[in-house]
Every structure is written in structure tokens, then in C-alpha cells.
Amino acid sequence: MTAPLHIAPAHGKLGVLLVGLGAVSTTTIAGVYAIRKGLAQPIGSLTQMGTIRLGKRTESRTPRIKDFVPLASLDDIVFGGWDIFEADCYSAARTAGVLEPAQLEQVRGELEAVRPMPAVFDQRYVKRLAGPNVKKGKNKRDLAEQLVADIRGFKEKHGCDRLVMVWCGSTEVYMKQTAVHATVASFEKGLDESDDSIPSSMIYAYAALREGIPFANAAPNLTADIPAMLELAARTKAPLAGNDMKTGQTLIKTIIAPGLKARLLGVKGWYSTNILGNRDGEVLDDPESFKTKEESKKSALDYIFQPQLYPELYKDLCHVVRINYYPPRGDNKEGWDNIDLIGWLGYPMQLKINFLCRDSILAAPIVLDSALFLDLAKRSGMSGIQEWLSFYYKAPMHAPELYPEHDLFIQLMKLKNTLRYMQGEELITHLGREYYD
């Protein structure tokens, strides 16, 4: 055992700033208010319902995570955010159509109090959306300064002790790193010159990190995982997590694929298609935004199967991903997977999965957990990339010299061992020889 980290207490209010008050954000906010009133259970939230084993199995110490580490209480969260539409959170939630109207009525007053601030938005990066509630500025530096003013104003108005920001906005067009992303100095010069390589999401990340606020990217955009943002996060001691919340089809992939690999079953092909009708589906109907999502969704299998180590099993894997915008389905996404397997002596088999899921219902607890764990990391003196939060993301951030870990079960072990480390508890290796020697 080691000495626990010094973790500042979670006293006072925690402001959770969400970029984009669409289906995911409104479902998160309404859910937290309903849970606070005892109207619902926080199903899917590790911070609220998860347990953690401490010590040996014979010790029977398995507290709730929220009782083991000093997380902020749901009662202390204050929500705010930005959106390109002016509707308050109640109206936005009704438009999103995820939660039943009767359920929304139970928290209507709290939702109506959450009104979006004008957003930083440029339709060149999200071509299928447009809205009136948008900031204007002489350049991107001016827009960043307006966000900083919003952040400070929100903190003062609501008496928040700490803040966290989560990008819940739409998927932007596919981008690669350029010279403007190399350093904070080059990035700030790019802001002054309104460089095209700086999309809206980067302006939000810059504003948050400059203020030392933890930032999570719930979309697959190139946002915070550029050298300039990592340099800024190190300078201001701000934790980072992302990218792209692991909700429906990719969640299933990171559960199924490790099991297939563990049994050394070959995979010849994995065909994935999605039917989605919400705002995210409409945005992804644009080929350039889909390219960003496709890269995020396709990478997991390569890293889990490690074809360079198992060429006989996975080298020639044909992995196809499709997303189809189908408005009648709304937020109730449907994911189809066909997996062509190879077994003993080369005999073929197939596995077919049809996941009729609710996208925002799966995403909301990830938004909540990311906010609470990033706040914990900040109070623990941890900054920069928080790889232990890879559990929640399709394309997890990682050190440049490392490959990302995509196996959901390894990710969960990493997360819980990080919590044990924070509190000075023995790390769990699952070796277990002490019970038999």
C-alpha cells in the first residue's frame, strides 16, 4: 500500500458546462434532476451505482465508488451550457423526444431555468446544422475571449467553486493536425488569424483549459488531443478526457471482441451498420462528418485484435462501418453487426447482433461520470490526459508514444486501480496465489 493522494474536498457547487444542449445534454440534465428528487435510478452510472473491491477477496470490502472516493454530490451540481438554438432545457428536451413528457413535467421548473448561452458555431465544420443563437466576433480569438467571459460569469452568477466542461456538440468534419496545432503560441496566432484549422470545438477546449477547467470531448472531433492543448493543460493543471462516447455499437464491439480474441477465434469480417434519426444522425449524413465518426468507430477492433501479433487470425479482417440517417427512428438507434468467425481447423461460423438501443440514454451516464471523475482528478492534482477514463470513449486519448487500450475489461481494471491508487489502497492484480500457496 502507498500513501493516498491529497484530494481537496468536494465542498461547494460544481458547475457542469455542456457544449450543445441537444438530446444527450438534456437527457443528462433531466436525469440528474429526476435522480435528485428520488424519481429515478442512476442506471448505467459507475459513479453512482458502481462498487469497488478493496484488499483480498476474503476481506469482503466492497464499498460503493461514491462512498470510497470524495466525488461531488449530485445535489451540488449546477448545469449550464451553450447551444445554437435559444430554447431552454425543457423545450430542448421536448424537441429531442428522448424522455417521456410526463417525466419531463416532474422536473420542468429546473429544466426551464437552464437557458443556453450563445454558441461559438461555424457551419463550415457542421454542414447540416444552423441556428440563430450564435456569437459574432472579429476573429476566433475574440470568440474565445467571449467564452472565457461566459465561463467566469457563470461561475460568479451561480456561486460555483469549481467547473467542468464537456463537449456534447455535433461531430465536426474530418480534420488532421497542422502547424497551427503545434504549440500554444502557434494556436493563439491561429486564433488571431481565424485559421481554418481551428474548428469551434477547439475554441471551447482552449477557453476551458486556459481557465484550468477539466475538459472532456464526447465527440470524435480533433479537439483537445493536439500538442497545443496538451501544452496548455500542463500549464494550467487541467485534466483531459475523450474522445467520442462509447455508447451503442462500439460498446458492444469492445465487449464481444476481447472475448473472441481471448478464445483465439479468428475473425474474417465484421460488418456494422446503424440506423439513427436524431440530430447526430442528420449531422452524420454529411460525408465529411461521417469520416470523423468512421475513424473513431473503426479503430477499436485493430487495437483489440492486434493483427500484427495474430496474423493468422486477424490480418485480413474486413471491417465495414455504415451509418444511415433515418428520421422515423429518432433517438432510438439500431445497430446491426454481422461477424464472420473462423474456428478450429478453419471452419466458418457467424455471430449476428441487433442492438436496439437508446443513444442518449446510454450517453447520459457517461457525461455525468466524466464530469465527476474529471473534477475528482483536478482535486487530486492530476492533469493532462486521464487515460484511466478510456473506459468511456471510442477513441481514447493516450500519450503519443503509446497505443490506446480499447479492451473494455482492461479499461475498467485501469479505472478502478486508479481509484485505489488515489486512496492508497493495494492495487488488484487478480493473481490470487496467496489463497493457495
Side-chain angles (χ1 to χ4, degrees):
M1 296 179 64
T2 59
L5 300 183
H6 174 71
I7 304 175
H11 296 328
K13 294 180 180 179
L14 172 64
V16 177
L17 294 169
L18 304 178
V19 184
L21 294 184
V24 170
S25 294
T26 56
T27 303
T28 304
I29 296 169
V32 169
Y33 287 137
I35 293 161
R36 275 165 38 166
K37 286 186 168 184
L39 302 172
Q41 292 294 318
I43 295 172
S45 170
L46 197 63
T47 62
Q48 303 306 302
M49 300 191 80
T51 62
I52 183 167
R53 177 190 136 198
L54 305 177
K56 294 180 171 53
R57 279 181 277 169
T58 51
E59 296 179 31
S60 299
R61 290 195 296 146
T62 313
R64 288 279 178 102
I65 287 173
K66 66 179 182 179
D67 297 326
F68 174 59
V69 290
L71 296 173
S73 167
L74 297 191
D75 292 332
D76 294 332
I77 292 178
V78 181
F79 287 105
W82 298 265
D83 198 83
I84 63 174
F85 300 106
E86 298 170 326
D88 62 54
C89 195
Y90 172 77
S91 298
R94 289 295 300 263
T95 300
V98 178
L99 303 178
E100 296 293 335
Q103 191 171 38
L104 290 175
E105 287 298 324
Q106 295 176 303
V107 291
R108 180 170 183 168
E110 293 90 337
L111 295 179
E112 288 180 334
V114 181
R115 304 193 65 88
M117 295 175 276
V120 171
F121 179 78
D122 188 330
Q123 198 174 20
R124 291 179 298 167
Y125 305 104
V126 185
K127 296 181 179 179
R128 297 296 173 94
L129 290 185
N133 198 35
V134 176
K135 295 185 186 299
K136 296 186 182 341
K138 63 182 181 181
N139 55 24
K140 292 182 178 181
R141 166 82 81 162
D142 186 15
L143 295 174
E145 295 300 335
Q146 291 181 50
L147 289 179
V148 169
D150 287 347
I151 291 167
R152 294 175 179 176
F154 180 88
K155 185 176 183 181
E156 181 179 359
K157 177 182 177 180
H158 295 280
C160 296
D161 291 79
R162 310 172 314 282
L163 297 172
V164 174
M165 185 187 295
V166 182
W167 171 276
C168 295
S170 297
T171 299
E172 296 172 328
V173 298
Y174 183 69
M175 302 192 73
K176 293 184 177 181
Q177 288 189 30
T178 68
V180 77
H181 304 137
T183 66
V184 174
S186 64
F187 187 85
E188 290 179 336
K189 184 173 183 288
L191 288 174
D192 291 332
E193 297 172 352
S194 293
D195 193 294
D196 289 342
S197 297
I198 300 178
S200 305
S201 63
M202 285 187 189
I203 301 175
Y204 279 99
Y206 169 79
L209 298 179
R210 211 182 80 181
E211 293 296 288
I213 296 171
F215 180 86
N217 179 21
N221 314 325
L222 180 67
T223 298
D225 43 355
I226 57 173
M229 296 301 177
L230 300 182
E231 178 189 341
L232 186 57
R235 183 185 302 175
T236 63
K237 308 299 183 188
L240 289 169
N243 300 304
D244 201 7
M245 291 182 294
K246 184 158 49 183
T247 52
Q249 194 170 65
T250 307
L251 172 63
I252 297 301
K253 284 183 177 178
T254 59
I255 293 171
I256 299 296
L260 298 176
K261 181 190 173 187
R263 287 296 309 272
L264 294 177
L265 292 172
V267 180
K268 195 73 173 174
W270 197 310
Y271 184 91
S272 301
T273 189
N274 296 264
I275 301 171
L276 180 62
N278 62 10
R279 188 194 297 185
D280 193 31
E282 183 177 7
V283 168
L284 294 173
D285 204 34
D286 171 59
E288 292 186 69
S289 290
F290 171 70
K291 173 68 172 173
T292 306
K293 175 68 79 170
E294 182 183 35
E295 292 297 313
S296 171
K297 288 173 74 69
K298 290 186 73 171
S299 63
L301 291 186
D302 290 336
Y303 288 110
I304 291 174
F305 286 139
Q306 297 177 297
Q308 73 280 12
L309 299 181
Y310 303 94
E312 307 94 331
L313 301 176
Y314 311 115
K315 181 181 178 183
D316 298 321
L317 169 64
C318 177
H319 185 198
V320 178
V321 175
R322 296 287 183 266
I323 298 176
N324 300 287
Y325 178 49
Y326 182 57
R329 193 54 57 90
D331 196 67
N332 295 339
K333 182 167 69 175
E334 184 167 357
W336 289 85
D337 286 88
N338 173 80
I339 309 166
D340 286 288
L341 305 172
I342 303 296
W344 182 246
L345 305 180
Y347 279 81
M349 297 176 285
Q350 288 190 350
L351 175 62
K352 297 183 186 294
I353 303 169
N354 182 19
F355 189 19
L356 286 82
C357 61
R358 295 173 178 261
D359 205 40
S360 298
I361 294 297
L362 291 168
I366 297 180
V367 175
L368 174 62
D369 284 2
S370 293
L372 293 181
F373 278 140
L374 283 172
D375 174 59
L376 175 68
K378 175 74 174 181
R379 289 184 286 111
S380 302
M382 301 167 70
S383 62
I385 295 171
Q386 303 299 301
E387 193 184 332
W388 59 286
L389 297 180
S390 296
F391 177 72
Y392 295 109
Y393 295 98
K394 290 188 183 80
M397 296 182 70
H398 56 93
E401 66 274 13
L402 299 177
Y403 64 83
E405 182 55 69
H406 281 276
D407 185 316
L408 186 76
F409 306 101
I410 295 175
Q411 290 174 334
L412 181 60
M413 187 185 301
K414 182 189 295 285
L415 188 155
K416 290 191 174 183
N417 266 339
T418 301
L419 299 179
R420 295 181 185 106
Y421 165 77
M422 286 180 176
Q423 294 291 62
E425 287 281 346
E426 181 182 0
L427 305 187
I428 302 298
T429 66
H430 300 285
L431 180 62
R433 284 305 314 164
E434 66 272 21
Y435 304 117
Y436 303 99
D437 290 340

